[in-house]
Amino acid sequence: MLQPFSYTCPKDTEEALVLLNNAGARPIAGGTDLVIQLRAKRLPSNPLVVDLSHLDELHFLAETENQLKLGPLLTHQELADSPQIQQGAPLLAQACRRVGTPQIRERGTLGGNIVHASPAADTLPPLLVHDAFFTLQSAYGTRSLAANSFFRAPYQTEISSAELLVQVSLQKLFGFGFGYQRLIRRQAVGIARLIVAGALLLEAGRIREARIACGAAAPTVFRAHQAESWLAGKKCGAEIFRKAGELVSAEMIERSGVRWSTPYKQPVLATLVKRALDQAAAIANG
Amino acid sequence: MDKIRLHLTVNETTVEVETTPNRRLLDILRDDLDLTGTKEGCGIGECGACTVLMDGKAVNACLVIAPQAEGKEILTVEGLARDGKLHPLQQAFLENFAFQCGFCTPGMLLAAKALLDRNSNPSRDQIREGLAGVLCRCTGYIQIFEAVEAAAKEWQK
Ligand SMILES: Cc1cc2nc3c(=O)[nH]c(=O)nc-3n(C[C@H](O)[C@H](O)[C@H](O)COP(=O)(O)OP(=O)(O)OC[C@H]3O[C@@H](n4cnc5c(N)ncnc54)[C@H](O)[C@@H]3O)c2cc1C
Ligand code: FES
Ligand code: FES
């Protein structure tokens, strides 16, 4: 039995936002994270569950010249299958294809993945690589936050309980090659142990721009800025990518401190970074 | 807690159920509608024993709160056979020894149906991926993959 709750099914976003002003109100999209919490009776007593799942206005995929605009209700399956995402944000398509199981991918949404904010959430590293920003709306107004400053701690973000995530905007990256690496104990159903999403823009064999985001490595997803700027201007090559991996591992330790898992994660993260950059370089070279 | 009235179509029959919101589609199927073919293993989305089709998509019935099933079409294992004749997937599972204890079978069948509805000629890898959300502790999976391949051949006829 799930913990007792009241349920409401607003007719549009506006009504949903009014309902979210009630103390104890909580949105539900696919429910693949929230139902687990309701089952463990972990929400404050008698929450008001506000169902978003049928709101078409939060379920869209639009494209401008430089951006992809995604509705929070897009499911992992839809994102993995979308030719626009495969083209414009292949890292995100690959990440979504690896989420959970087919059943979880049919229900789990982009918005739920972001707001639940597990350090191991699969969509987050690709979103950081694309300099995503999130549009948050409440009954009183709208604001935009960069994905990079949205995550405060594991399962904690800047969103307030009266706000909805209503749009995710990704910058398109033209001419980049992409690489994605995910380490997990069992392929289906498991929490990723480490995720690396990388992108490289090359010019005459040299790196014009590098982007590297890591998931499950630190309390929150992060961009490895030190390694990124170290890579800029360097010639592509195995030795350079190996060194970049070491720099990313050092950044991980700066962020999370030395833990029981560090002796394992340090070399493994470095290797995953190298592999992701190898992949990205191969694609960027066409 | 207020009661709500749910209207859903289960195995092509429309039903109306009165329930409190804090129940799962799985509870509605098993306890209210007596459709106990759908199993509960883990209750947290990991084993797939509770897999049913909702509007044609494979979902974990343990993760769908009852009110979210309002207006939906549900297919459970009880709805697979037609006019006393087994569904081609059920027939293939029988002929290929694709179950032992049978606990995973309803979920496997529906996950396989969702797969074949999308792709009637899946490779072995696509079958593995399509069924990755249902655990089987008995068969070692090989006979299940073979059954799905056999059913796919029927499907294409
Ligand atoms: C068996 C299993 C395997 C899983 N495997 C993976 C995996 O491999 N990788 C991975 O990343 N995740 C995984 N997950 C976690 C989960 O499926 C994903 O995080 C999913 O994307 C959550 O989306 P949802 O729509 O189901 O969220 P919900 O459960 O509906 O919501 C999650 C949280 O977000 C809030 N919320 C949802 N939408 C909005 C919105 N628009 N605005 C504001 N708040 C909102 C809810 O209030 C809730 O707090 C797994 C879960 C299970 C049960
Ligand atoms: S009971 Fe639903 S997945 Fe295990
Ligand atoms: S046949 Fe026993 S769990 Fe699959």
Side-chain angles (χ1 to χ4, degrees), chain B residues 26 39-51 60-63 133:
Chain B
L26 181 61
K39 304 298 180 208
E40 172 159 18
C42 64
I44 54 169
E46 295 194 351
C47 73
C50 66
T51 302
N60 300 114
C62 71
L63 294 183

Side-chain angles (χ1 to χ4, degrees), chain A residues 62-85:
Chain A
E63 208 171 337
T64 65
E65 201 182 323
N66 296 313
Q67 284 187 355
L68 285 164
K69 298 182 183 221
L70 311 182
L73 288 186
L74 289 169
T75 63
H76 295 292
Q77 192 65 49
E78 289 167 338
L79 289 164
D81 288 345
S82 154
Q84 275 163 297
I85 300 297

Side-chain angles (χ1 to χ4, degrees), chain B residues 99-102 104 136-139:
Chain B
F99 51 86
Q100 290 173 30
C101 79
C104 69
C136 175
R137 61 180 287 286
C138 303
T139 63

Side-chain angles (χ1 to χ4, degrees), chain A residues 28-269:
Chain A
I28 188 168
T32 59
D33 280 319
L34 199 71
V35 175
I36 306 274
Q37 290 176 287
L38 290 168
R39 182 177 190 270
K41 306 183 170 56
R42 236 180 272 142
L43 294 197
S45 78
N46 270 312
L48 173 65
V49 171
V50 180
D51 194 354
L52 310 176
S53 61
H54 55 285
L55 297 180
D56 290 339
E57 50 202 289
L58 298 179
H59 198 172
F60 60 86
L61 200 170
E63 208 171 337
T64 65
E65 201 182 323
N66 296 313
Q67 284 187 355
L68 285 164
K69 298 182 183 221
L70 311 182
L73 288 186
L74 289 169
T75 63
H76 295 292
Q77 192 65 49
E78 289 167 338
L79 289 164
D81 288 345
S82 154
Q84 275 163 297
I85 300 297
Q86 289 166 7
Q87 260 276 311
L91 291 173
L92 184 60
Q94 284 186 50
C96 291
R97 198 172 308 125
R98 286 172 169 80
V99 166
T101 64
Q103 291 89 323
I104 295 292
R105 292 194 287 276
E106 291 285 14
R107 295 287 295 163
T109 65
L110 177 64
N113 200 236
I114 293 169
V115 176
H116 187 64
S118 157
D122 276 292
T123 64
L124 305 185
L127 293 179
L128 256 66
V129 165
H130 281 272
D131 283 338
F133 61 91
F134 303 146
T135 309
L136 308 178
Q137 195 176 343
S138 73
Y140 309 102
T142 299
R143 61 182 179 135
S144 252
L145 272 184
N148 215 2
S149 53
F150 182 73
F151 301 98
R152 279 208 295 240
Y155 310 103
Q156 280 179 41
T157 74
E158 295 292 332
I159 199 168
S160 86
S161 57
E163 282 175 318
L164 283 181
L165 171 61
V166 295
Q167 182 171 299
V168 179
S169 314
L170 271 65
Q171 308 301 318
K172 289 188 188 168
L173 296 173
F174 298 100
F176 277 78
F178 299 98
Y180 183 83
Q181 294 287 323
R182 180 188 199 237
L183 189 87
I184 192 158
R185 266 201 208 146
R186 196 177 108 223
Q187 205 44 52
V189 199
I191 294 164
R193 302 288 144 158
L194 287 170
I195 307 168
V196 176
L200 287 176
L201 182 63
L202 305 182
E203 207 170 56
R206 283 185 188 276
I207 297 164
R208 212 171 104 191
E209 193 183 340
R211 298 181 176 210
I212 303 168
C214 305
T220 62
V221 57
F222 69 93
R223 276 278 291 273
H225 288 300
Q226 293 165 24
E228 290 178 358
S229 30
W230 182 82
L231 278 166
K234 299 235 165 25
K235 249 197 164 128
C236 280
E239 193 46 35
I240 292 297
F241 292 162
R242 199 188 53 75
K243 183 81 197 343
E246 285 173 8
L247 287 172
V248 175
S249 279
E251 280 188 71
M252 167 183 76
I253 294 169
E254 253 172 56
R255 284 168 185 273
S256 50
V258 174
R259 304 179 173 199
W260 62 269
S261 58
T262 305
Y264 169 74
K265 282 194 169 179
Q266 186 174 11
V268 176
L269 181 63

Side-chain angles (χ1 to χ4, degrees), chain B:
Chain B
M1 227 179 345
D2 294 336
K3 293 229 170 181
I4 54 167
R5 270 185 182 285
L6 278 187
H7 310 80
L8 46 164
T9 308
V10 179
N11 301 332
E12 298 187 346
T13 309
T14 50
V15 293
E16 194 179 313
V17 209
E18 200 181 65
T19 177
T20 55
N22 68 329
R23 294 173 70 232
R24 307 162 301 173
L25 173 59
L26 181 61
D27 305 318
I28 303 291
L29 293 173
R30 288 183 56 87
D31 301 341
D32 296 10
L33 302 176
D34 237 1
L35 295 170
T36 53
T38 307
K39 304 298 180 208
E40 172 159 18
C42 64
I44 54 169
E46 295 194 351
C47 73
C50 66
T51 302
V52 298
L53 302 196
M54 185 158 89
D55 288 348
K57 292 173 175 163
V59 302
N60 300 114
C62 71
L63 294 183
V64 177
I65 55 170
Q68 282 195 320
E70 169 66 28
K72 305 280 192 206
E73 266 184 44
I74 310 294
L75 181 70
T76 72
V77 69
E78 289 90 348
L80 282 176
R82 284 289 159 85
D83 308 323
K85 206 169 161 260
L86 290 180
H87 186 277
L89 269 166
Q90 291 173 307
Q91 192 62 41
F93 268 56
L94 261 181
E95 287 168 7
N96 290 274
F97 309 100
F99 51 86
Q100 290 173 30
C101 79
F103 194 81
C104 69
T105 311
M108 280 294 180
L109 286 167
L110 288 155
K113 181 169 189 314
L115 171 70
L116 293 183
D117 284 340
R118 268 167 74 104
N119 173 2
S120 62
N121 188 20
S123 66
R124 181 58 74 96
D125 274 351
Q126 286 168 328
I127 295 175
R128 293 172 81 99
E129 215 173 277
L131 301 183
V134 192
L135 296 181
C136 175
R137 61 180 287 286
C138 303
T139 63
Y141 299 99
I142 303 299
Q143 295 98 315
I144 294 175
F145 301 151
E146 287 167 357
V148 175
E149 281 162 356
K153 287 210 186 91
E154 277 299 302
W155 217 267
Q156 284 156 40
K157 279 185 197 159

